[in-house]
Amino acid sequence: MKKCDFLVIGSGITGLTFAHKAAKEGKVIIVTKKEKSDANTNYAQGGIASVFAPEDSFKLHIEDTLKTGDGLSHRNTVEIMVKEGPRLVKELMDLGVAFSMKETKSGQKNFDLGREGGHSKRRIVHSKDLTGETIETALLKKVKNDKNIELLENHTVIDLIPDNITRQRKCVGIYIYENESGNIVKIYSRVTLLATGGTGQLYLHTTNPSIATGDGIAMAYRIGVPVANMEFIQFHPTSLYERGLNKRAFLISEAVRGEGAFLKTIDGKAFMENYHPMGSLAPRDIVARAIDAELKKNGDEYVLLDTSPIGHKRFKERFPNIYGKLSEKGIFPDSDSIPVVPAAHYLCGGIVSDINARTSLDGLYTAGEVAFTGIHGANRLASNSLLEALVFSERAFNSARREFKKYDFVLGKLDAIEKKRNVKIEKSIISNNKKMIKKIMWNYVGIVREEIGLIEAIKRLKIIEKEVKRIFYSSPIVPEIIELRNMVQVAKLITHSALIRKESRGLHYITDYPRKDDRKWKRDTILSLSTQKDKIVYKTKTKNRGKNEGVNNHETL
């Protein structure tokens, strides 16, 4: 058993930023599944969207975000993020993050601002094409040197611990599995931050690392915390196409299109102008669907990203990491065209939180991709994710430091997780079920959906869930079954949310309802655990987070 003031689950930009700040107030424990650097932050190539250019403004950034969010972004949280962002970007510089700069004729150094799809101005602060890794390295250095922070690597979180002594709606800690020893350990905390990242590994093709299995969302949902807008999965339009399946697809940053690259078919025909006035700089959902349509129309396995307008010299200078990868694969310098396909990239929904990153449970905070702040709406504007993580991890800390001392440690009763299990683990069944979930989600709950496919997905996921429950409660707990349990839980939430929304909006495109319906569906989809077995409660809620309107229904999953 361990105890701490601040418990952080996840070691990306959100978790590390919070931990660095919280260590000034009390003892911090960070729990991470794999190595320190294995987080979505580390793979962020583009950068951080923030207003620094003289011709840019908060108003323009806010409007770009709201436009991309397709009617569901919450203006108040968008304004908070945009206005608080620049200060925190400068704070990263003070921590040692080396962003790319350019020198003016007068000798003054300014950010070398990039531009990505959906942005009306250049506002992407970057460190070449290794922004995430650069930020992660700087934050890890601070965390590693802080004696008030304990970093637990190779530990898998099993579940959150509710207050089952005083029966208050409060999170008092977590159960973790020590990957090396096989022991199950409790960590009690005054405050817990969920910063576990996304859900990309639920899909066959993804840019996310292997740890992105939706753990935080599943744990929060099981303990009774609502989740929202799970139907809005962003598929990055341009991951590198390679034959065979990879654990993580290599991302070709949207910033490459921002510098002038354009999409074309294998036979050389540019096609994006047929789908959107902004062409290859259209929002990601439109680009991903356009590629999907072209692939289905032509029977091809990939399209091409033509980089000839950039030129090899500029490409190598601006995107050294991507250039190196493409050279390693034999694509550069012989060709100007990169074979690309869409891949699951980012979850716009997540655990419902307020403007200070608080959930509905006392002592439980959430920020980053795992959280639903209302910023991204039905579609995320490129490079807003790292900005959101910075802003709301700080807001979580500011709230937690005011609150944590009022929470006493509550030691929970014996839970079913701690009971001995004697049935031999069936690892082949676990592996096969993971593969089945990925195929179900890719085939039925992907870029383009249809109602009959979503219903079929729910049926198949229920069968898997039944088997997972049997294994989880009868066999010894191991990381593979912990992840599988979370994956099937989140897969059902995504699929059910997609079934609920009877319209096409942003990232959710369903052929049965191809048009947007503001009158009925300009609202968030909120799912919460029902006390009734195998049922959830869903509420549709107006985008301004006012009183609940619309329907309150029970749906059997």
Side-chain angles (χ1 to χ4, degrees), residues 21 55 80 104 164 274 293 299 319 323 398 409 411 420 482:
K21 294 175 183 287
E55 65 274 15
I80 286 169
T104 64
N164 53 19
N274 300 330
F319 308 107
Y323 189 91
N398 285 334
F409 291 106
L411 306 185
K420 289 185 178 181
I482 296 169

Side-chain angles (χ1 to χ4, degrees), residues 13 30 71 120 205 207 227 293 317 371-372 470 523 534 546:
I13 186 174
I30 302 174
S120 58
H205 303 286
T207 61
V227 298
E317 177 186 279
F372 170 76
R470 176 184 64 79
R523 51 187 73 198
D534 293 329

Side-chain angles (χ1 to χ4, degrees), residues 10-29:
S11 58
I13 186 174
T14 305
L16 295 179
T17 299
F18 180 93
H20 170 62
K21 294 175 183 287
K24 299 179 178 67
E25 303 289 333
K27 182 182 177 182
V28 180
I29 294 178

Side-chain angles (χ1 to χ4, degrees), residues 28-71:
V28 180
I29 294 178
I30 302 174
V31 179
T32 181
K33 274 206 285 189
K34 294 289 181 73
E35 297 301 323
K36 296 185 288 289
S37 62
D38 201 8
N40 275 350
T41 300
N42 211 50
Y43 302 102
Q45 294 176 350
I48 305 176
S50 198
V51 175
F52 285 102
E55 65 274 15
D56 200 4
S57 67
F58 289 155
K59 181 180 178 182
L60 287 173
H61 190 179
I62 290 165
E63 291 306 318
D64 287 347
T65 301
L66 294 175
K67 184 178 179 181
T68 301
D70 206 5

Side-chain angles (χ1 to χ4, degrees), residues 282-536:
R284 287 178 178 176
D285 61 316
I286 293 167
V287 179
R289 280 200 299 274
I291 294 173
D292 184 69
E294 291 293 321
L295 294 179
K296 288 173 179 174
K297 183 171 69 175
N298 300 322
D300 297 327
E301 292 186 348
Y302 59 88
V303 297
L304 296 171
L305 183 62
D306 192 325
T307 66
S308 57
I310 304 174
H312 281 281
K313 183 180 178 182
R314 170 62 179 157
F315 195 104
K316 188 175 183 179
E317 177 186 279
R318 174 66 176 85
F319 308 107
N321 182 48
I322 300 175
Y323 189 91
K325 185 73 171 181
L326 296 176
S327 298
E328 179 188 311
K329 297 289 181 183
I331 297 169
F332 280 177
D334 296 337
S335 173
D336 287 315
S337 296
I338 308 167
V340 294
V341 290
H345 184 58
Y346 192 88
L347 172 67
C348 289
I351 303 165
V352 175
S353 60
D354 66 12
I355 60 170
N356 292 311
R358 295 175 299 193
T359 72
S360 60
L361 280 189
D362 286 345
L364 183 64
Y365 290 76
T366 186
E369 187 175 353
V370 69
F372 170 76
T373 61
I375 284 173
H376 305 302
N379 189 13
R380 176 182 69 102
L381 183 63
S383 289
N384 266 352
S385 53
L386 291 183
L387 185 67
E388 179 195 33
L390 276 177
V391 170
F392 286 88
S393 58
E394 184 188 59
R395 282 183 156 256
F397 161 67
N398 285 334
S399 176
R401 71 174 172 181
R402 293 191 298 267
E403 300 285 326
F404 83 99
K405 288 183 180 177
K406 77 178 186 182
Y407 297 132
D408 293 325
F409 291 106
V410 178
L411 306 185
K413 296 178 182 177
L414 183 70
D415 188 272
I417 287 172
E418 299 176 81
K419 294 179 180 178
K420 289 185 178 181
R421 298 104 185 281
N422 300 315
V423 178
K424 187 178 179 181
I425 194 76
E426 303 167 73
K427 289 206 172 183
S428 62
I429 294 177
I430 294 173
S431 176
N432 288 336
N433 277 326
K434 275 192 176 183
K435 291 174 184 176
M436 286 175 64
I437 290 171
K438 286 171 174 280
K439 289 179 180 178
I440 290 167
M441 296 302 288
W442 186 260
N443 291 331
Y444 298 121
V445 201
I447 298 169
V448 176
R449 302 157 179 177
E450 56 181 344
E451 203 164 51
I452 192 170
L454 294 172
I455 293 169
E456 181 64 26
I458 285 288
K459 288 178 181 176
R460 296 189 184 193
L461 289 169
K462 278 184 177 181
I463 295 169
I464 295 173
E465 183 182 47
K466 186 176 180 181
E467 190 165 46
V468 170
K469 283 182 178 178
R470 176 184 64 79
I471 297 171
F472 184 84
Y473 287 107
S474 63
S475 302
I477 292 177
V478 293
E480 292 85 355
I481 189 61
I482 296 169
E483 286 189 337
L484 180 60
R485 180 185 182 221
N486 293 333
M487 287 173 71
V488 72
Q489 176 74 77
V490 176
K492 284 179 64 185
L493 291 171
I494 293 170
T495 308
H496 194 65
S497 295
L499 262 174
I500 289 170
R501 186 169 289 279
K502 309 296 185 186
E503 65 159 357
S504 291
R505 181 188 297 269
L507 301 167
H508 172 66
Y509 187 83
I510 183 166
T511 56
D512 308 82
Y513 309 96
R515 293 181 178 83
K516 188 162 60 176
D517 186 350
D518 280 350
R519 187 176 67 86
K520 293 181 179 178
W521 293 103
K522 194 174 183 179
R523 51 187 73 198
D524 300 317
T525 308
I526 312 291
L527 304 183
S528 59
L529 191 64
S530 172
T531 54
Q532 302 176 58
K533 188 178 180 182
D534 293 329
K535 291 187 179 182
I536 66 168

Side-chain angles (χ1 to χ4, degrees), residues 9 33 156-160 194 196-199 202 210-222 351 370 479 482-487 490:
I9 307 173
K33 274 206 285 189
T156 304
V157 181
I158 304 170
D159 260 326
L160 299 169
L194 282 173
T196 52
T199 60
L202 272 65
S210 61
I211 62 172
T213 50
D215 303 334
I217 291 166
M219 291 187 293
Y221 179 77
R222 284 196 294 266
I351 303 165
V370 69
I482 296 169
E483 286 189 337
L484 180 60
R485 180 185 182 221
N486 293 333
M487 287 173 71
V490 176

